[in-house]
Amino acid sequence: MKKHKFGLKNEEEIKTYIAKNKLLAQRSESGLYYLISKEGKGKHPSCNSNITISYIGYFSNGETFDSNERLEINMEAVIPGWTEGIQYFKEGGEGILFIPSRLAYGNTDYGSIPAGSVLIFDIQLIEVQ
């Protein structure tokens, strides 16, 4: 497996952000952190579900890089951090994903997102088809 040059830096950045904001996030085996703030009552999506989602994407400094009030997308067409993280949500659920760069765009710049960036998403899972 290729060593990711931002790994430890991303981990520290996420931990610092969580501590500074007094959040109780959980860490998955992959290094993704997530916090479910509203449980939701519907079903969990799978890694190939069609979903409708509302989100705001931002960096740990609070700068927003993307948002969408109603995105309909297949889970196979999203970054690995979403594929894993959104499966922790139930339909109607809300929370936050803290995604290290290796589960997003890695060592590559992507539009306004610099290489190696930790991505944070406020997520509302509206529907699982």
Side-chain angles (χ1 to χ4, degrees), residues 16-28:
T16 299
Y17 182 90
I18 289 169
K20 185 176 125 185
N21 291 282
K22 298 177 173 55
L23 302 171
L24 295 173
Q26 299 179 62
R27 185 186 189 279
S28 76

Side-chain angles (χ1 to χ4, degrees), residues 11 23 26 29 35 39 65 72-73 82-83 104 108 126:
E11 182 82 11
L23 302 171
Q26 299 179 62
E29 205 170 289
L35 175 127
E39 187 65 31
F65 60 82
E72 295 180 17
I73 196 162
W82 270 31
T83 302
T108 307
I126 299 167

Side-chain angles (χ1 to χ4, degrees), residues 3-13 100-102:
K3 184 82 174 150
H4 197 280
K5 71 178 186 179
F6 296 103
L8 291 175
K9 182 177 173 275
N10 283 179
E11 182 82 11
E12 288 308 309
E13 184 178 335
S101 61
R102 73 177 174 280

Side-chain angles (χ1 to χ4, degrees), residues 7-19 23-37 58 80-82 84-89 95-103 118-123:
L8 291 175
K9 182 177 173 275
N10 283 179
E11 182 82 11
E12 288 308 309
E13 184 178 335
I14 292 169
K15 285 180 174 180
T16 299
Y17 182 90
I18 289 169
L23 302 171
L24 295 173
Q26 299 179 62
R27 185 186 189 279
S28 76
E29 205 170 289
S30 72
L32 173 83
Y33 284 79
Y34 63 97
L35 175 127
I36 306 297
S37 56
Y58 51 97
W82 270 31
E84 177 188 346
I86 291 173
Q87 291 183 71
Y88 295 120
F89 290 77
I96 308 171
L97 297 178
F98 306 89
I99 303 176
S101 61
R102 73 177 174 280
L103 297 175
V118 167
L119 306 181
I120 303 172
F121 291 93
D122 290 344
I123 299 281

